[in-house]
Amino acid sequence: MRYSTSVSASRRKSRKAHFSAHSEARRKLMSANLSKELQARHNVRSMPIRKDDEVVVTRGMYKTREGKVVAVYRKKFVVHVERIAREKANGATVPVGIPASSLC
């Protein structure tokens, strides 16, 4: 059953819309769930992530790590969190990009 006739259910079209979305649309796509107390306070389940937000990683290799958002990289759909970095072969440290859906 289709809910809206104006929105396509095609995988091809939805992927194209996702990956060719402009920056303001990507802001909304890069939303993360709020903690239970923040959900109760603001009466919303999720919000777009922005710089200086306090986040907890809920999935992946860095699960349960906490930190402040250093950068929101909309072009790559990732978020950089402080103290979550890896070392390159030449010894330099680079921030690890974490998908916004993996944060809380």
Side-chain angles (χ1 to χ4, degrees):
M1 179 181 155
R2 301 248 328 246
Y3 292 105
S4 175
T5 55
S6 61
V7 179
S8 174
S10 166
R11 173 180 163 85
R12 177 182 183 179
K13 288 182 183 177
S14 61
R15 282 180 58 84
K16 181 175 181 178
H18 182 268
F19 291 111
S20 64
H22 53 86
S23 183
E24 187 58 29
R26 286 177 187 232
R27 175 182 175 270
K28 190 126 182 166
L29 289 170
M30 293 178 67
S31 293
N33 291 335
L34 296 175
S35 61
K36 297 295 180 201
E37 59 269 8
L38 286 174
Q39 284 181 20
R41 189 190 314 162
H42 298 293
N43 293 320
V44 288
R45 187 182 174 121
S46 64
M47 277 187 176
I49 290 213
R50 54 191 280 187
K51 191 175 174 181
D52 294 331
D53 281 352
E54 291 286 332
V55 294
V56 179
V57 181
T58 56
R59 289 180 202 86
M61 197 170 89
Y62 300 100
K63 189 174 183 176
T64 70
R65 298 270 296 270
E66 299 180 30
K68 190 179 274 192
V69 174
V70 177
V72 179
Y73 205 159
R74 291 183 190 169
K75 188 174 183 180
K76 291 187 174 182
F77 286 105
V78 294
V79 175
H80 293 162
V81 181
E82 70 179 1
R83 295 190 308 272
I84 298 182
R86 65 183 296 268
E87 203 169 292
K88 288 171 58 171
N90 65 1
T93 59
V94 290
V96 175
I98 297 172
S101 60
S102 298
L103 301 173
C104 181

